[in-house]
Amino acid sequence: MTDPAQQHAGLPHAVFLHRMAGGSPPSALEPRLGRAAFVALRLVDLLGPEHATLHPDAFHYQYVATVRCCRDLPPGSTEASHLLGLVRGTGDAFEQHSAGLVLPALFAYAHYLEDEMRLDEALDVLDTLLQIGGAQLLPADSVGAQLRRARVYRKLNEFDAAEQSYAEGGALAAAIGDTHSELLSRIGRAETVRGRGNLAEAERSLRGTLAEAEVIGDRHAQALAHHVLAAVLQTGGRPADAISHAWVAFKSYDDEISQGRALGDLGSLFLIVGETQGAECALREAARRGGSQDYVSNALIELMNCASFCRDRVGFERWREECDARRESMPPNILVDYMLKAGIGRARFGQLDRAERLLADALRIADEVGLHEFTFRIERIKAGLRDCRRAPNEEPAEVAQPVVQTKAVREVSAAVAHLAGAT
């Protein structure tokens, strides 16, 4: 049979047809969602200026068929809800001759796809939004779409495209006097520089942006700059320095979701420096605040990692089971991280055969989806496991973690413990 993804490669929105490729039967949920997304976005295309003379009956025929396709999806599916909202918004937009009515649904669907790490699909939706919105896009919406588009490109490691979109978003923001979005653009470009490996330039840029944000009193930009600076310092092998910035980011954010993400990252940093008590407090609090947010999976994975680091077998199994219960909803990058750290945990408890199987599965998934950084890490750890077989009382260097204590680390750890005790 012809691969549907290849057969329709020249069609707009064909990226959604990739879900129909592979071993899943057409009746499975993912192929059905991909097909529904494809036809829903083809309906949105009818709002474009090239279809200005489209007869209402022609639109109605396609609209009814698209609604039927989406309503046949399982009602409990979050993506199905997004698609139904998108179709209804398209119907309202066509009826009232206002493409702007569908833009909120496109924004929401793109955000969902990005959270699910369906990044190519998220780009397709954002490009559709910019094309359909055209002159009807409010300047602030244009800025927001460009910055989100840049973020998706960055996550795809397409750094040239990311920098261009950040630059375009920043220029649009400057033109309308939106200093907050200008700062966000600069922070995003610094993250792109970090992705390229130029940590010194990323740090210099972030410290400059942070100083400007402090002058104008932009609290959210300050929080984000501190948060990204923590990531830069961690990448540069300075986790103890990063901890203070992650803590300031947590205190500066105004919303629970951002605070939870900062706490989760703080817990990971504590674990790197060997401050396991602070790590557990921060990660538990992140999980408690997170509810159904995606970062909760990260926090649970790190709690599992923390338990194995402390050789707490009961705690390891408890958190592993909680992670396993969320496995089906994990995007590939989080799933690989889970399997990697579960494998490390098995190695710490001397279960090297189980560790090797987990690491092999993690490596296979990482290779399939192009998570190259994970590939390199897993390969190094697998080699370390072979060394463990020869010297069973030793732990691989990649698995062992240093203990780094400073006054700042101890102070932040105490503050996190107080926070956890007060809630």
Side-chain angles (χ1 to χ4, degrees):
M1 292 181 64
T2 303
D3 183 340
Q6 295 178 354
Q7 182 180 356
H8 302 294
L11 288 174
H13 317 301
V15 64
F16 289 93
L17 299 179
H18 292 184
R19 301 196 203 181
M20 300 170 64
S24 299
S27 59
L29 180 57
E30 280 305 312
R32 292 167 61 197
L33 285 168
R35 183 167 55 247
F38 172 77
V39 298
L41 286 161
R42 293 288 284 171
L43 181 72
V44 175
D45 289 341
L46 298 182
L47 300 177
E50 68 275 20
H51 298 290
T53 59
L54 182 70
H55 194 281
D57 288 347
F59 176 86
H60 180 72
Y61 175 82
Q62 189 164 336
Y63 174 80
V64 170
T66 306
V67 169
R68 186 181 302 117
C69 177
C70 293
R71 281 182 177 164
D72 286 341
L73 297 170
S77 165
T78 302
E79 186 168 5
S81 298
H82 277 289
L83 291 172
L84 279 169
L86 182 58
V87 173
R88 294 190 188 103
T90 305
D92 293 339
F94 186 84
E95 182 179 339
Q96 299 184 38
H97 306 287
S98 174
L101 295 177
V102 78
L103 300 183
L106 285 167
F107 265 118
Y109 188 37
H111 185 83
Y112 166 81
L113 292 169
E114 181 186 349
D115 282 348
E116 293 295 305
M117 292 303 289
R118 296 189 176 277
L119 301 178
D120 289 320
E121 295 177 359
L123 273 180
D124 183 278
V125 175
L126 289 169
D127 287 342
T128 301
L129 185 153
L130 289 167
Q131 180 182 354
I132 296 299
Q136 294 189 45
L137 266 176
L138 295 173
D141 289 338
S142 294
V143 171
Q146 286 291 355
L147 294 183
R148 177 152 300 195
R149 192 165 171 259
R151 187 171 67 184
V152 174
Y153 273 128
R154 177 171 51 77
K155 290 180 179 180
L156 284 166
N157 293 330
E158 295 185 19
F159 297 126
D160 289 342
E163 286 187 345
Q164 181 178 345
S165 287
Y166 276 127
E168 290 176 4
L172 287 170
I176 61 174
D178 183 354
T179 56
H180 175 69
S181 293
E182 277 191 272
L183 291 172
L184 296 186
S185 170
R186 290 172 57 184
I187 294 169
R189 293 175 77 177
E191 284 200 270
T192 303
V193 172
R194 175 175 77 100
R196 292 186 187 278
N198 190 345
L199 301 181
E201 174 59 23
E203 182 177 351
R204 185 202 63 77
S205 175
L206 285 166
R207 291 192 185 279
T209 304
L210 181 57
E212 291 190 29
E214 289 171 348
V215 168
I216 65 175
D218 189 330
R219 187 177 176 87
H220 181 262
Q222 291 176 58
L224 189 59
H226 277 292
H227 204 164
V228 177
L229 185 53
V232 171
L233 295 172
Q234 177 185 358
T235 304
R238 298 155 60 189
D241 295 336
I243 283 173
S244 295
H245 289 283
W247 176 243
V248 173
F250 163 74
K251 293 193 297 181
S252 301
Y253 281 127
D254 293 325
D255 63 291
E256 286 260 325
I257 293 175
S258 297
Q259 288 178 341
R261 291 187 191 280
L263 280 173
D265 291 341
L266 184 60
S268 299
L269 288 166
F270 275 137
L271 190 54
I272 290 172
V273 302
E275 176 53 51
T276 55
Q277 184 176 0
E280 187 171 358
C281 287
L283 293 166
R284 283 178 179 271
E285 185 65 12
R288 186 189 71 79
R289 291 167 177 252
S292 61
Q293 291 296 318
D294 59 332
Y295 68 80
V296 173
S297 292
N298 287 321
L300 294 173
I301 291 167
E302 290 303 325
L303 281 165
M304 177 187 70
N305 193 31
C306 185
S308 70
F309 179 86
C310 296
R311 303 307 191 270
D312 175 5
R313 181 69 176 272
V314 174
F316 171 78
E317 293 295 347
R318 172 197 170 186
W319 297 118
R320 184 194 59 75
E321 288 178 1
E322 291 212 27
C323 291
D324 216 45
R326 302 171 67 97
R327 181 168 173 163
E328 293 301 318
S329 64
M330 291 179 181
N333 62 319
I334 296 179
L335 177 60
V336 170
D337 190 44
Y338 162 52
M339 298 176 76
L340 167 61
K341 287 170 180 169
I344 289 173
R346 294 298 182 194
R348 285 171 170 159
F349 294 115
Q351 300 172 316
L352 298 183
D353 289 336
R354 298 179 73 176
E356 285 186 336
R357 288 194 294 271
L358 282 163
L359 293 175
D361 288 341
L363 183 60
R364 174 182 53 79
I365 297 170
D367 284 341
E368 287 175 355
V369 297
L371 296 172
H372 304 303
E373 182 184 354
F374 270 115
T375 296
F376 298 141
R377 289 173 57 197
I378 295 166
E379 286 175 342
R380 288 197 299 269
I381 294 172
K382 279 171 64 70
L385 288 180
R386 288 192 291 273
D387 294 336
C388 273
R389 289 193 180 279
R390 292 190 290 270
N393 293 325
E394 295 182 7
E395 190 175 68
E398 283 281 345
V399 177
Q401 296 173 347
V403 176
V404 180
Q405 288 287 0
T406 67
K407 180 180 178 182
V409 169
R410 290 193 295 271
E411 288 177 351
V412 175
S413 181
V416 172
H418 177 75
L419 170 73
T423 56

